[in-house]
Amino acid sequence: MNASPLPGRFDTASPRPRVSVPRHAAPLVSFITVAYGTGSIIVDSIASLVESLAGSDIPYEYLVVDNAHAEAEHRTCNHLLLATAGVRVVRPGHNLGFAGGCEMGVLHTSGDVLAFVNPDVLFEPGWLEPLLRHLDDPAVSIVSPVLLEPDGSVQEAGYRLFSDGSVAPILEAPGADETVRPDYASAACWVMKRVEHERLGGLAPDYFPAYYEDVDFALRAAALGGGTLVVGASTIVHLHHGSTDDSTVPDVSRQRRTLLELWPSVARVQPQPPA
Amino acid sequence: MTSAVVLALLRPAKASRHPIIAETERRVVHFELDKRLPGCKLVLRQVGESIGPWRSFDGGPWPGDRAVAIADDVLWHDDEPPLTALFGRTIDPVSTDVRSRMLHFLGLLGDHASTFDDQRLEDLLKLSITPTDLWLVVGQARQVTVSDRAVEALRGVPEEQAWLDQVFDEIARSVDVS
């Protein structure tokens, strides 16, 4: 484990960038993306984000935490260096996993609003503003858009959590003026206030390298008076498993057991899984 | 909007208490207060340090534009972990535990931090360190050796301090001294 709180970091400055992230002295929104051997899709994602915000006056910053990947150590970095400008990059030098990467990103950004976004999401115009409008609701900790498949069908409008720790996506999207309160939403795209992140303690490291830390955080939020809200007026496209070349379905049985150990109330309170 | 809130900790100043810990506490209290009163200003004073008498915690118009006092035991228990006591009313200990484990995981807490010194403070200030994180790191250290100059860096801009002092003096003058 790296004992230094200051891993390598730099801002990209490609001489011929495909996408340039504007610089704001006092960003309101800090976008944080955790990469792990991610390929060119991250450039597509950043380009769609910048384009989606081109007509807004929201000041923002974009930071990538480039977790070390044994077989593709410089892959993400090379793509960013070649094709982007103004992207802030932090390289921990080892793999912090998803939760650790997100938290490292929090430490290296300053916006009052945090937006954790996967490197394999494509943003649509007007997706952010509807989410920001719900952040002042004291009963809401996390706001998320509806995640769509590339063909436009609904991937999830949040998830339901069952008593055995299994989960199922909500496939009925709320209308444009509606919201949904799921048990949690995938952290592929989360928006929250920094103070709320602080109050809740951040993502837990217990689920390393990834999966179920978002469930854990959402349960903590709900237990402490907040919760998750999916906003129908906001949609983005999520390319599942686009973060790496690995398209296999991950085994999350260990993370699921960890969740049930840390949250024994899940077995008592959540409904039985469907037959 | 509340323009100023002055809080006094009813605790005699302790010579052994390092100023950086006091400053961290101020940041934490301000952080908590700012969530309820965005843009408020905060001055912490201790008994023996005050200019005028403080209104009681129960009777004072808290939160408001007047000087109020927070009793010692609201914020501080010697027998409990400081952060839990400090955040006891607002931040769940579970959250604090999660944060502590994450900071260990990230390498910000660990054996190397048994001494909190200027270099460590400088490193942390390069990050967007939160009051909780700062409190955890400082509180973990067995020894705190930070220069006045480093503490000043944590305190913020001098103009803000001067403005706070001015507000504090104005409020103190408005308090009935009878």
Side-chain angles (χ1 to χ4, degrees):
Chain A
M1 178 59 59
N2 182 7
S4 168
L6 297 172
R9 54 183 174 173
F10 57 87
D11 291 357
T12 62
S14 167
R16 284 186 295 279
R18 192 183 132 204
V19 54
S20 294
V21 177
R23 293 176 185 276
H24 297 284
L28 169 67
V29 183
S30 295
F31 291 97
I32 297 168
T33 293
V34 178
Y36 179 60
T38 308
S40 60
I41 184 65
I42 193 170
V43 178
D44 297 335
S45 181
I46 297 170
S48 71
L49 176 72
V50 171
E51 188 177 340
S52 75
L53 297 177
S56 90
D57 56 358
I58 299 171
Y60 66 95
E61 63 180 334
Y62 188 98
L63 180 137
V64 175
V65 178
D66 183 19
N67 274 333
H69 189 292
E71 284 83 39
E73 184 182 356
H74 302 300
R75 190 175 185 216
T76 303
C77 207
N78 287 341
H79 279 289
L80 293 172
L81 286 168
L82 284 171
T84 73
V87 173
R88 304 180 60 204
V89 182
V90 174
R91 305 193 83 193
H94 52 280
N95 182 15
L96 293 172
F98 180 74
C102 285
E103 296 305 318
M104 185 60 83
V106 172
L107 286 169
H108 284 270
T109 54
S110 60
D112 286 344
V113 175
L114 301 172
F116 299 109
V117 294
N118 274 16
D120 60 344
V121 295
L122 300 176
F123 300 91
E124 304 200 342
W127 73 278
L128 182 59
E129 289 84 348
L131 302 182
L132 297 179
R133 282 197 282 272
H134 290 275
L135 287 181
D136 287 332
D137 183 344
V140 173
S141 300
I142 306 154
V143 289
S144 286
V146 176
L147 303 189
L148 304 177
E149 299 284 357
D151 65 4
S153 60
V154 176
Q155 187 178 89
E156 65 151 283
Y159 274 84
R160 292 295 175 211
L161 173 66
F162 299 111
S163 57
D164 63 352
S166 63
V167 300
I170 298 170
L171 296 176
E172 187 177 345
D177 57 350
E178 296 176 329
T179 58
V180 173
R181 276 204 171 264
D183 291 318
Y184 81 102
S186 160
C189 184
W190 273 8
V191 177
M192 73 181 73
K193 284 187 172 181
R194 185 179 289 268
V195 292
E196 188 66 356
H197 170 275
E198 163 100 355
R199 184 178 78 93
L200 299 174
L203 292 163
D206 309 80
Y207 303 89
F208 180 88
Y211 296 106
Y212 272 85
E213 63 281 282
D214 45 7
V215 187
D216 178 290
F217 187 88
L219 288 173
R220 210 171 335 127
L224 297 178
T228 302
L229 193 73
V230 174
V231 179
S234 176
T235 58
I236 64 171
V237 174
H238 183 209
L239 310 171
H240 251 325
H241 307 300
S243 301
T244 69
D245 285 339
D246 183 4
S247 60
T248 57
V249 177
D251 177 10
V252 296
S253 54
R254 178 180 58 78
Q255 289 89 333
R256 189 165 144 183
R257 284 197 302 274
T258 300
L259 182 87
L260 293 172
E261 288 169 10
L262 293 176
W263 292 93
S265 59
V266 167
R268 297 193 308 270
V269 175
Q270 297 302 122
Q272 293 288 319
Chain B
M1 174 178 291
T2 299
S3 59
V5 174
V6 182
L7 301 175
L9 293 172
L10 300 182
R11 176 178 61 239
K14 296 177 181 175
S16 61
R17 199 157 159 269
H18 196 278
I20 195 170
I21 296 178
E23 179 58 19
T24 303
E25 183 177 81
R26 186 191 73 82
R27 277 188 148 205
V28 169
V29 173
H30 192 187
F31 171 80
E32 289 299 316
L33 202 57
D34 193 60
K35 286 194 297 187
R36 296 157 182 76
L37 301 166
C40 76
K41 299 292 183 182
L42 168 73
V43 176
L44 283 178
R45 290 289 187 269
Q46 296 176 337
V47 166
E49 192 184 357
S50 63
I51 296 175
W54 301 102
R55 295 197 170 204
S56 73
F57 179 68
D58 291 331
W62 191 89
D65 284 353
R66 305 298 296 268
V68 295
I70 292 180
D72 191 4
D73 60 358
V74 172
L75 288 178
W76 193 274
H77 297 273
D78 288 339
D79 297 335
E80 294 181 14
L83 186 65
T84 302
L86 194 64
F87 282 127
R89 300 188 328 158
T90 53
I91 292 186
D92 193 278
V94 172
S95 297
T96 305
D97 177 58
V98 170
R99 194 66 197 158
S100 178
R101 281 185 288 118
M102 178 51 81
L103 291 178
H104 270 288
F105 181 76
L106 294 176
L108 284 168
L109 283 177
D111 293 339
H112 65 284
S114 59
T115 296
F116 190 85
D117 54 18
D118 281 9
Q119 183 60 51
R120 188 147 184 75
L121 178 62
E122 187 179 326
D123 289 345
L124 287 173
L125 291 180
K126 290 175 184 172
L127 307 175
S128 297
I129 190 92
T130 65
T132 305
D133 293 347
L134 187 59
W135 183 268
L136 283 166
V137 174
V138 175
Q140 182 209 32
R142 296 188 196 92
Q143 188 180 5
V144 179
T145 55
V146 181
S147 67
D148 290 344
R149 185 179 165 193
V151 172
E152 199 58 39
L154 187 63
R155 255 191 200 120
V157 295
E159 289 77 9
E160 179 181 312
Q161 287 299 307
W163 187 85
L164 290 175
D165 286 343
Q166 184 183 352
V167 169
F168 174 77
D169 291 343
E170 288 295 325
I171 292 175
R173 270 195 289 275
S174 72
V175 174
D176 183 4
V177 187
S178 62

